[in-house]
Amino acid sequence: MGTQHGAEPRLAGTPKTVGVVWGLLILNTLGSAGAETIVPLPRSLIQMVTMGALVAAFALALALNVRLRIRPSAYVLLLTLLLVPSVISSVYVESGFGALFRCARLALFVGTLWLLTRWWDGGLTFVRHHIRMYFAVLGSVAAGLAISPGAALPDIYGGRLVGALWPLTPPQIGQYAAVIIGLTVLLLLGRRTDRASAAVVIVPSLVLLGLTHTRTATLGLFIGLALAIGSLVLTSAAARRFFTWTVLCAAVAAVAFSSALQAWFLRGQSKENFSNLTGRAKVWDALLAEPRTTAEQVLGMGLGDKSFGGLPIDNSWLAVYQEQGLIGVALVAAIIIVLGGVALLRPPSLQRACAIFLISYCAIASYTEAGLGDASPYLLHLALAASLLAAPAATAPLAMPEAPRRHIPRWARRSEVV
């Protein structure tokens, strides 16, 4: 990400292979469901690749951290506790082998994060890994668009951009684009990258975000950036200038292009369809009306594919309630509250601003996207926020070399006779 300016806290000797582990975790969370690709890929093959990436990430992280040196992390601890209702409900409700397999996947995911906490030092190292890996994913989307525009903009998705080389849905692409745009803007404001490098990331990502017509990602980007930059306004002149110009440009654009923005936002839907969130509200109502036993209310129905009645739930809170019960909802809420509280208590800094952006984005997206209760990109975004909020590792004081003893002649050692 371009030229770095200023000192950046980082553990001495952080291996570059840690970035490979992070990239494998991102590959695992890409999923296996989406649009039809140019070259048909069997779902079993995609699942083998994604699960193999997780196993490789855990093995590599274990090889890097053989002595199991971990740092305390309230975030990863809460994720570990989330495993308890997941496993109990998956066994108790007899959800089948698929639920237990997902529990094992979540356990490996959380175990890898524990191994990586050794290098969580409040620096920007993982931010750069995050941006590079998701930019590479967006590069595959752009390549699919260039190779076959018809496959990348299919009618079945209303002409919205999908992954034509790897099966990615419009909300996924929108999420990846919004997150790296926000992080790159913050790095630019913090003078941790140059304008040319930032433009290489931001401009094509904005184009891809626009082609996805993803409202959640767009709102999450703008609101998250507003909160993050607002946390820097008192200490950064660049943040103040950017915030002022952004507000002015947004006001002018809202007036001049109101009809075009409204058409883009509605995506050709009727107001009735838009009001019930493209049919999501009907699924939510049916899920809440479903009769449940006390055990199912408290522990959930076991980890599944985040669907109800064959339709996607598309809400993190209801998906967690369905699969991990009220205990799971309480733990996920604790994750957001703890991370948000720690971020508010930290002094203003670029790391804090990036964490605020990620936390607020995930909180906003949780209303129309599932993923906060299982291994997903959203948990990786929050893990990145936790790494940014971690206190720098204490370094042992350098041992001072012992001063050489001065030779004293024998005649000088004799006591003075008064």
Side-chain angles (χ1 to χ4, degrees), residues 18-55:
V18 168
V20 178
V21 176
W22 197 257
L24 290 171
L25 289 177
I26 289 176
L27 176 58
N28 172 254
T29 58
L30 292 182
S32 58
E36 294 183 2
T37 55
I38 299 173
V39 179
L41 299 174
R43 188 172 183 181
S44 58
L45 175 63
I46 298 174
Q47 290 175 333
M48 188 188 314
V49 171
T50 54
M51 192 60 196
L54 179 58
V55 173

Side-chain angles (χ1 to χ4, degrees), residues 16 77 84:
K16 295 182 179 179
L77 176 61
V84 177

Side-chain angles (χ1 to χ4, degrees), residues 186-389:
L186 293 174
L187 288 183
L188 181 62
L189 292 179
R191 298 182 179 179
R192 299 301 176 90
T193 188
D194 56 73
R195 294 182 180 181
S197 299
V200 168
V201 174
I202 294 173
V203 174
S205 298
L206 274 175
V207 173
L208 296 181
L209 175 60
L211 291 176
T212 62
H213 286 253
T214 307
R215 296 176 291 226
T216 301
T218 305
L219 288 175
L221 170 63
F222 289 129
I223 297 175
L225 266 183
L227 295 174
I229 296 174
S231 70
L232 292 172
V233 164
L234 297 179
T235 58
S236 171
R240 289 193 291 271
R241 289 194 299 269
F242 184 86
F243 188 81
T244 302
W245 280 106
T246 301
V247 170
L248 291 176
C249 293
V252 173
V255 174
F257 305 103
S258 58
S259 58
L261 291 173
Q262 183 179 6
W264 182 90
F265 205 76
L266 288 176
R267 296 196 311 233
Q269 299 173 344
S270 64
K271 292 185 178 180
E272 180 182 358
N273 196 19
F274 176 75
S275 63
N276 62 26
L277 299 173
T278 322
R280 290 186 178 96
K282 297 179 180 178
V283 179
W284 299 347
D285 292 339
L287 186 149
L288 292 173
E290 178 76 7
R292 303 169 190 270
T293 64
T294 302
E296 290 171 349
Q297 287 182 343
V298 175
L299 297 171
M301 307 287 289
L303 291 184
D305 59 357
K306 314 298 176 288
S307 66
F308 179 80
L311 297 174
I313 297 175
D314 285 341
N315 180 289
S316 285
W317 304 100
L318 292 179
V320 171
Y321 172 67
Q322 167 73 8
E323 297 182 357
Q324 290 134 316
L326 294 175
I327 294 179
V329 173
L331 289 172
V332 171
I335 288 173
I336 300 296
I337 293 172
V338 168
L339 287 176
V342 172
L344 292 177
L345 293 175
R346 288 282 190 271
S349 65
L350 176 59
Q351 288 84 349
R352 178 199 187 213
C354 290
I356 289 175
F357 168 74
L358 292 166
I359 297 166
S360 56
Y361 180 89
C362 291
I364 293 167
S366 67
Y367 185 65
T368 58
E369 296 291 335
L372 288 183
D374 204 350
S376 69
Y378 292 107
L379 290 191
L380 277 181
H381 301 333
L382 293 178
L384 178 58
S387 75
L388 290 166
L389 297 174

